[in-house]
Amino acid sequence: MDTDQQQVAFDALIASDGRVEPRDWMPEGYRKTLIRQIAQHAHSEIIGMQPEGNWITRAPSLRRKAILLAKVQDEAGHGLYLYSAAETLGMSREEMLDLLHAGRQRYSSIFNYPTPTWADVAAIGWLVDGAAITNQVPLTRCSYGPYARAMIRICKEESFHQRQGFESQLQLSNGTPEQHAMAQDAIDRWWWPSLMMFGPPDDDSPNSAQSTAWGIKRFSNDELRQRFVDICVPQAQTLGLTLPDPDLCWNAERGHYDYGVIDWTEFQQVLKGNGPCNRQRIATRRQAHSDGAWVREAAAAYAAKKQAAGATVPVAA
Amino acid sequence: MSTPNSPLWEVFVRPSRGTNHVHVGSIHAADATLALQNARDLYTRRGEGVSIWVVRSSDVTASSPEEKDSFFEPSADKPYRHPTFYTIPDGVEHL
Ligand SMILES: [Fe+2]
Ligand SMILES: [Fe+2]
């Protein structure tokens, strides 16, 4: 088949809502868009361990510590699922990590905010994982097979993340006045950055149309953001906490909650590297990578030694 | 001259686009190309697949059945990894 015929076959596959698999022909733009998106998604999971990891040694109980460890471990796992999906498109994991460390591939801006109190861990579970789930559920039907399958595994695991955050937030809210105030303060700081996780508004999102045409994106940024707001308002009422937006109110005509204006200047600033923790996040990531170098080298040396000795491993029966 | 015993290959079939390759069995064949063709003829005679992988059985490293309990033990005592571990008040939706 020549390229024109391959393009026709690809277009027909997308039009019929079929899944593209790694060995299929695909347009270069489709491949590049997916590498950028999946790598950014993987990097977000890996960098996303830092704000919560900050509290592992200081969790208020053994129960909460075990839960937090398990959650952060899951986020590492999500990163690995996603790197492996991106690798099917022809970019090596080493290259993706190098691009992250060089600031040439991004991660979600949400992880550039600090976690000064224990309630931030609860707020992240409820709001940040909640927003991530809203974004990710439609991606389980994305046109690229390996990405869609990774998202199915991830979404199953995210449910625990969101529930532990909600449970913890509820416990704080129903606790002492100080604990309640701490829970409210965390919501005040995380609400607006969580809304920014859905990306720029639809009229300022130049790549969305192409991603939608390719079946990568199923709903627009504003549609997903609205869905998230509608889910959170009643949940906040159950929590006894106030979402920090005086314009938030039910619009019976639209059948949705109206919400206030998002500060997109702040979003752009964080994207540019000027958020509260951008430098710290990348510096910590680079440090972790170089601190782990001796482990990778030792494992490779051991493997080479075993191979030289002709050692074999038992095979499947 | 006796016929050499042809090597064993593990066969994985993708039933349809969008799904994972799933292990379906194994096959003997002299090389990878023959293994693919034989696997097609044996395992996908009725449209069971859209893609096949074959892997030399000797290249598969497997966990040992005798060590199953200790090998998987770390995941057995962590009920908090499951969403059902958490108490959420009645009537809360989308959690
Ligand atoms: Fe995650
Ligand atoms: Fe998560």
Side-chain angles (χ1 to χ4, degrees):
Chain A
M1 277 206 288
D2 62 26
T3 310
D4 284 351
Q5 288 170 310
Q6 286 169 321
Q7 179 75 51
V8 169
F10 175 86
D11 292 344
L13 182 62
I14 296 290
S16 67
D17 200 17
R19 294 291 172 272
V20 179
E21 294 294 349
R23 307 210 41 191
D24 293 334
W25 182 90
M26 60 188 86
E28 255 334 279
Y30 180 80
R31 184 186 299 276
K32 283 202 180 116
T33 298
L34 278 169
I35 290 178
R36 192 188 333 109
Q37 178 169 340
I38 303 173
Q40 172 167 340
H41 197 159
H43 298 328
S44 301
E45 304 281 355
I46 297 299
I47 298 279
M49 291 191 282
Q50 292 184 36
E52 290 181 285
N54 182 31
W55 280 94
I56 289 175
T57 57
R58 296 177 290 157
S61 67
L62 185 58
R63 180 181 187 271
R64 289 288 167 203
K65 181 175 181 164
I67 291 168
L68 184 56
L69 261 176
K71 180 184 189 283
V72 171
Q73 191 182 24
D74 273 2
E75 305 302 2
H78 297 173
L80 299 185
Y81 298 157
L82 287 161
Y83 284 129
S84 109
E87 282 183 298
T88 64
L89 291 157
M91 182 177 278
S92 75
R93 191 167 312 205
E94 291 73 17
E95 190 176 353
M96 286 183 267
L97 287 174
D98 287 346
L99 289 169
L100 170 66
H101 298 153
R104 290 176 52 210
Q105 277 180 347
R106 283 181 166 157
Y107 57 91
S108 174
S109 61
I110 191 78
F111 301 114
N112 291 313
Y113 290 88
T115 46
T117 79
W118 167 252
D120 290 319
V121 171
I124 289 178
W126 175 43
L127 291 175
V128 176
D129 287 85
I133 292 171
T134 308
N135 252 331
Q136 289 170 353
V137 167
L139 285 172
T140 61
R141 296 187 291 116
C142 142
S143 63
Y144 188 57
Y147 191 27
R149 292 191 286 277
M151 291 320 306
I152 291 172
R153 265 196 304 277
I154 290 175
C155 283
K156 274 189 198 154
E157 299 180 1
E158 288 295 352
S159 166
F160 132 54
H161 299 178
Q162 194 192 15
R163 285 172 69 98
Q164 64 83 30
F166 188 90
E167 188 201 65
S168 179
Q169 197 70 272
L170 185 62
Q171 200 178 8
L172 287 171
S173 179
N174 291 339
T176 64
E178 290 81 3
Q179 287 171 333
H180 180 89
M182 189 167 76
Q184 182 61 54
D185 165 67
I187 301 305
D188 290 347
R189 286 180 290 107
W190 288 95
W191 173 248
W192 290 105
S194 299
L195 293 190
M196 295 175 197
M197 284 175 70
F198 298 94
D202 292 350
D203 52 21
D204 188 27
S205 182
N207 302 323
S208 284
Q210 182 60 74
S211 282
T212 307
W214 276 330
I216 299 171
K217 207 169 166 53
R218 298 279 173 177
F219 298 97
S220 80
N221 294 353
D222 286 331
E223 283 170 334
L224 292 168
R225 191 166 10 247
Q226 181 70 63
R227 184 175 301 174
F228 179 65
V229 171
D230 291 346
I231 287 172
C232 285
V233 174
Q235 290 180 350
Q237 284 162 359
T238 305
L239 289 171
L241 297 167
T242 310
L243 297 174
D245 179 359
D247 296 326
L248 204 56
C249 72
W250 178 250
N251 182 327
E253 213 170 290
R254 292 200 309 125
H256 291 291
Y257 284 93
D258 289 338
Y259 55 94
V261 180
I262 295 170
D263 181 2
W264 292 111
T265 334
E266 175 184 323
F267 179 70
Q268 291 304 336
Q269 278 305 315
V270 180
L271 275 192
K272 281 200 190 104
N274 301 323
C277 301
N278 295 58
R279 284 170 195 82
Q280 183 191 337
R281 299 293 184 237
I282 283 295
T284 303
R285 175 86 271 285
R286 285 203 196 114
Q287 185 70 39
H289 193 67
S290 56
D291 286 352
W294 72 270
V295 181
R296 296 189 292 275
E297 283 157 18
Y302 182 67
K305 193 173 103 183
K306 268 204 315 191
Q307 201 177 22
T312 53
V313 257
V315 298
Chain B
M1 203 175 83
S2 67
T3 316
N5 219 342
S6 62
L8 190 64
W9 304 76
E10 299 300 320
V11 181
F12 300 79
V13 172
R14 186 201 295 289
S16 62
R17 280 176 177 281
T19 60
N20 287 305
H21 286 81
V22 176
H23 185 244
V24 291
S26 59
I27 197 151
H28 279 275
D31 63 30
T33 309
L34 280 173
L36 261 186
Q37 290 169 356
N38 293 357
R40 172 200 60 196
D41 294 343
L42 185 61
Y43 290 105
T44 64
R45 287 195 303 275
R46 292 174 184 79
E48 288 93 337
V50 294
S51 169
I52 300 176
W53 289 344
V54 289
V55 180
R56 276 288 287 268
S57 306
S58 57
D59 286 341
V60 174
T61 306
S63 61
S64 134
E66 297 92 73
E67 286 161 19
K68 178 176 93 41
D69 289 346
S70 60
F71 193 72
F72 292 105
E73 188 271 336
S75 77
D77 60 352
K78 295 178 179 62
Y80 47 85
R81 281 180 178 165
H82 299 273
T84 45
F85 183 75
Y86 302 91
T87 345
I88 304 291
D90 289 343
V92 182
E93 288 181 59
H94 306 287
L95 264 182

